[in-house]
Amino acid sequence: MFLPITCCVRSTGLWSWAICGESWLDSTALLAGHRSILIRMLIVGYCFGIRSERRLCDEVHLNLAYRWFCRLGLDGDVPDHSTFSKNRHGRFRDSDLLRRLFETVLRRCICEGLVGGEGFAVDASLIKADANRQNGVEGQKGLPPEATGHAIDEYLAVLDDAAFGAATEVTPKFISPADPAARWTGAHGGQAFFAYSTNYLIDVQNAIIVDVEATTAIRQAEVWAAKRMLERAMERFDLYPTRLMGDSAYGSAEMLGWLVSEHGIEPHVTVFDKSARKDGTFSREDFTYDHERDVYFCPGGKTLTTTGTRVNDGATLLYRASKTNCDACALKPHCCPKEAARKVPRSIHEDARDMARAIAKSWEGRVSRRLRKKVEMLFAHLKRILKLDRLRLRGPKGARDEFLLAATAQNLRKLAKLVPTPNLKPA
């Protein structure tokens, strides 16, 4: 009687190796009793892009394969769709269940040898929030006094969080009364919209998602998320990558210094550098730095020295040329035509920036630029196949829940694809 069900389940590919009741989910204490059914149903929904919980209940009621996976049998009652909301705002979040579920799946991927642990890539992608852009209010005016709800409470709770309110002091142009933590952004170049950022840290060996973090949709928060995800991978899974791949969003001097100096990670990251000049005068790269003597040499061969005094909140050293040398130099019109003497700023993390530049020019750097595209492929899969191009839940916690479930589904699909399928035996 159960052979057609088993074959149908195997054909989906997702639970092809969880056969005959010996699923890995049963080996954990996370999924027990009624909570087990709800989580299994959510996994079905996120794996197959079923965005509506009402529709999910109908699909599980009719689909034998889904019933088998959810341990409902042929005549088991499917929970009401309202049960998901009640548990989400209660037991799921109180116990951080979805984070634990994601980490349980990741741990299984590690045990199966799918995570190399040497090369990681990081990136972020904007996901539209469930907030109508036409109902936004001006950021300077703040929220209406009558605005209430879960999303409002969560917004007030994260005002001092580095991933949300504390990420920047800039007041957004518009705020959504429905979901004020969502950020107004025009990063895609078209119409601006309210959005959150989903941040992925992946292992490039098999594109397994090592960690996921929800943040507001600005660069500062994404950098914070990258640090948090790396530290969490080290603390919880003993994963210490030798290199990190990323685009220029993670190429600030402070971020590169953190990678190299504090964790010894090679920065296969595009350096964020705006030192090039557009007026035809010499840029910083035209000056040669001598590490042993801690001086710069200008194109005319003169020396620029520093007093060691730091500027820009202690992040930069200034190297200055002698006014006498600059006045007598024939290259002054091409170097500092409006200044008495040339000065060159150098970040205290410039050694890490130099390392990143050298890696970018090497063969390893070219390979890393290709490998980091695996993160972008995961984002494309997330939006096109899993249909998470717009959030259904509101608030930072809602965004975190959806991102965790989606990342869990993606890892499960990859696990089912790469792990050999056990032999099926008819009941």
Side-chain angles (χ1 to χ4, degrees):
M1 177 175 66
F2 293 100
L3 179 59
I5 300 176
T6 305
C7 292
C8 181
V9 172
R10 186 184 184 189
S11 67
T12 67
L14 174 60
W15 13 91
S16 58
W17 55 278
I19 303 300
C20 301
E22 297 298 329
S23 169
W24 63 271
L25 289 171
D26 292 333
S27 66
T28 73
L30 294 178
L31 306 185
H34 186 64
R35 183 169 59 177
S36 171
I37 298 175
L38 297 179
I39 293 297
R40 287 174 183 274
M41 289 178 64
L42 286 173
I43 290 175
V44 170
Y46 278 81
C47 283
F48 294 98
I50 305 174
R51 303 287 292 123
S52 167
E53 289 167 356
R54 189 185 295 270
R55 182 191 160 203
L56 175 61
C57 292
D58 293 339
E59 292 284 344
V60 173
H61 179 73
L62 297 174
N63 191 302
L64 293 180
Y66 296 166
R67 278 184 166 273
W68 177 88
F69 180 73
C70 296
R71 302 296 186 260
L72 288 172
L74 296 177
D75 55 358
D77 293 332
V78 178
D80 187 78
H81 65 88
S82 63
T83 310
F84 291 95
S85 179
K86 295 177 182 178
N87 282 271
R88 181 183 300 113
H89 292 292
R91 294 188 296 172
F92 288 1
R93 290 179 181 172
D94 292 342
S95 62
D96 204 15
L97 178 66
L98 299 182
R99 164 64 62 178
R100 294 163 61 198
L101 176 66
F102 169 79
E103 293 183 350
T104 299
V105 175
L106 173 60
R107 195 168 285 111
R108 181 58 184 257
C109 293
I110 295 173
C111 292
E112 294 290 345
L114 303 183
V115 178
E118 295 183 359
F120 283 2
V122 64
D123 205 352
S125 183
L126 296 179
I127 305 293
K128 290 183 179 180
D130 183 25
N132 191 328
R133 64 185 303 276
Q134 296 180 349
N135 293 338
V137 298
E138 293 184 17
Q140 296 290 347
K141 295 182 179 179
L143 290 173
E146 65 275 10
T148 58
H150 285 292
I152 303 293
D153 295 339
E154 293 176 17
Y155 164 71
L156 296 175
V158 298
L159 288 177
D160 296 327
D161 191 335
F164 292 97
T168 177
E169 297 179 355
V170 178
T171 302
K173 186 176 182 179
F174 293 103
I175 297 177
S176 169
D179 190 356
R183 189 80 179 184
W184 178 261
T185 177
H188 284 172
Q191 277 192 334
F193 55 91
F194 293 106
Y196 287 92
S197 283
T198 178
N199 300 266
Y200 276 6
L201 179 69
I202 74 163
D203 182 271
V204 295
Q205 177 174 300
N206 290 298
I208 296 295
I209 302 170
V210 176
D211 208 342
V212 56
E213 191 77 32
T215 65
T216 190
I218 58 175
R219 176 176 294 182
Q220 297 94 313
E222 294 169 5
V223 172
W224 175 90
K227 294 181 180 180
R228 182 71 186 96
M229 291 188 294
L230 279 167
E231 290 176 341
R232 191 155 49 203
M234 296 174 186
E235 294 171 3
R236 301 189 182 183
F237 299 97
D238 201 29
L239 295 175
Y240 293 88
T242 59
R243 62 190 187 277
L244 179 73
M245 307 162 204
D247 57 26
S248 60
Y250 308 93
S252 66
E254 189 272 335
M255 178 64 181
L256 295 174
W258 183 84
L259 288 172
V260 176
S261 302
E262 296 190 27
H263 295 286
I265 299 174
E266 291 183 2
H268 291 235
V269 178
T270 304
V271 178
F272 184 75
D273 191 351
K274 289 188 175 182
S275 63
R277 295 191 173 188
K278 300 180 181 180
D279 59 358
T281 59
F282 295 131
S283 298
R284 184 171 56 196
E285 63 180 9
D286 296 314
F287 293 74
T288 304
Y289 181 69
D290 187 328
H291 286 268
E292 294 184 0
R293 297 173 57 188
D294 188 25
V295 296
Y296 272 100
F297 292 102
C298 73
K302 304 302 181 180
T303 303
L304 287 77
T305 61
T306 180
T307 61
T309 302
R310 296 184 181 183
V311 296
N312 296 337
D313 296 328
T316 306
L317 293 170
L318 286 180
Y319 290 75
R320 301 175 185 272
S322 167
K323 183 178 181 301
T324 302
N325 290 335
C326 288
D327 287 339
C329 182
L331 297 176
K332 190 177 189 301
H334 302 287
C335 185
C336 52
K338 299 180 181 180
E339 299 176 358
R342 181 62 187 261
K343 57 184 178 182
V344 175
R346 179 179 176 83
S347 169
I348 59 174
H349 304 294
E350 196 65 30
D351 289 342
R353 286 158 58 90
D354 289 341
M355 178 186 293
R357 292 188 187 100
I359 291 174
K361 296 177 182 178
S362 66
W363 178 82
E364 291 81 1
R366 293 194 293 271
V367 172
S368 295
R369 285 192 291 274
R370 176 176 57 83
L371 290 176
R372 79 185 188 201
K373 292 181 180 179
K374 292 185 176 183
V375 192
E376 298 173 5
M377 294 171 64
L378 283 171
F379 289 143
H381 178 269
L382 177 72
K383 297 177 182 180
R384 297 180 183 178
I385 306 302
L386 303 190
K387 301 179 182 178
L388 191 62
D389 56 345
R390 183 185 178 94
L391 293 173
R392 190 175 54 81
L393 304 180
R394 291 175 175 173
K397 292 183 179 178
R400 183 190 63 182
D401 290 350
E402 292 216 59
F403 295 160
L404 281 169
L405 279 168
T408 302
Q410 289 181 294
N411 278 349
L412 277 172
R413 294 172 70 104
K414 186 61 66 73
L415 193 59
K417 179 180 179 180
L418 299 179
V419 174
T421 305
N423 295 326
L424 295 177
K425 294 182 180 179

